[in-house]
Amino acid sequence: MTIKSAPRYVSAMYGIRTLHADDPVLDSSPLVRALDFLAAKFDEFPNGIPLTKSLAFKRDLVAEAIAEIQWPDWTEQQIYHGYMRIKVADEQHFEPFWRLHQHLLDLRLVRHYKGKLLLSKTGKTLFANRFARFDRLAQYVLFEDPHRLFMRQEHGVFGSWDVWLNVMDIETTHGATGKHITDTFYGVEDEPNEFDPRTSRLHSSVLEPLIYCGLLDENRDSGRKLVERVYSKTQLWQSYLQLDEKPAMLRVVH
């Protein structure tokens, strides 16, 4: 795929590796920690996790999830003392956890029944294996989530996962800023913009899912703006993704 007026990599395809369920490399993934949390709750409530009348997770469970999962951008400090400044969090205040609830429903791994959340037959099989549940949800978050697909189409985020993954496999080895990654994919703008909307769109539809899965680390020591944040591939990236083994070749398309 040629991206108009932008440099691009000639990309190889990508694959997924199978990991052992007890592989400690999984511990660094926010998605894994969230699924571990829910797995523990399903064990605690074998007849179903109690929900509110609107079929959301109850506030005490949400508070526990926020503290235990430590999801990037969604910690206690950021939820309770950030821009929202709330005292008690509902499920909707913990957006990635709310989205995970929806993903599990969409995949029919869970169901609502008489005010409770229960694992389906398929869900029980999947949740019995720590890697299997991560693998299914990670692939959904990255490649299938209609919300992210819509965002990429609506905002014109050109590219494909084989390009994005193989390029970032090189660019993020020693860390790359959001600006560098954006410029690599879409070219350097004549008039640099510290609030580059291209970076914002790339972050929300491509980088953020990788961060949530634990494949990319997002460091803000150089600044909180998206163009300033530094992204590095994690050990889970190395273990889980099977990318081009040969050094990727860079070809500029004019």
Side-chain angles (χ1 to χ4, degrees), residues 112-156:
H112 294 153
Y113 181 70
K114 293 186 177 180
K116 296 180 180 180
L117 185 71
L118 294 89
L119 286 168
S120 66
K121 184 177 180 180
T122 303
K124 288 179 181 178
T125 301
L126 199 70
F127 263 69
N129 183 287
R130 191 184 191 216
F131 172 73
R133 63 187 183 235
F134 160 73
D135 182 46
R136 183 66 192 96
L137 267 297
Q139 293 198 47
Y140 184 85
V141 168
L142 293 172
F143 311 129
E144 304 170 37
D145 180 5
H147 172 68
R148 305 283 183 184
L149 289 169
F150 175 79
M151 290 175 67
R152 289 192 282 272
Q153 294 168 359
E154 181 74 6
H155 299 303

Side-chain angles (χ1 to χ4, degrees), residues 223-241:
R224 293 188 60 85
K225 296 173 185 174
L226 294 179
V227 294
E228 298 171 335
R229 298 179 191 181
V230 176
Y231 301 90
S232 305
K233 61 185 181 183
T234 65
Q235 183 56 50
L236 182 57
W237 174 296
Q238 306 275 54
S239 300
Y240 182 60
L241 297 176

Side-chain angles (χ1 to χ4, degrees), residues 42-114:
F42 281 121
D43 288 341
E44 182 180 346
F45 299 101
N47 295 321
I49 299 173
L51 302 173
T52 66
K53 290 182 179 180
S54 60
L55 299 179
F57 289 121
K58 292 188 174 182
R59 287 176 169 178
D60 57 346
L61 186 144
V62 172
E64 189 178 346
I66 293 169
E68 187 169 321
I69 297 169
Q70 292 297 297
W71 206 300
D73 268 347
W74 300 91
T75 63
E76 300 108 311
Q77 176 64 31
Q78 289 155 316
I79 291 177
Y80 297 119
H81 307 291
Y83 66 91
M84 288 187 286
R85 295 189 177 278
I86 57 176
K87 293 184 178 180
V88 180
D90 292 313
E91 182 183 334
Q92 289 79 2
H93 293 124
F94 189 7
E95 183 179 324
F97 195 58
W98 169 78
R99 290 200 178 280
L100 178 58
H101 186 171
Q102 303 309 307
H103 295 338
L104 292 170
L105 288 168
D106 292 342
L107 290 169
R108 298 184 180 179
L109 300 177
V110 300
R111 60 190 177 95
H112 294 153
Y113 181 70
K114 293 186 177 180

Side-chain angles (χ1 to χ4, degrees), residues 179 183 188-198 227:
K179 172 175 170 47
D183 290 348
V188 180
E189 288 192 319
D190 294 334
E191 297 181 8
N193 183 351
E194 63 178 340
F195 299 103
D196 192 337
R198 302 176 306 163
V227 294

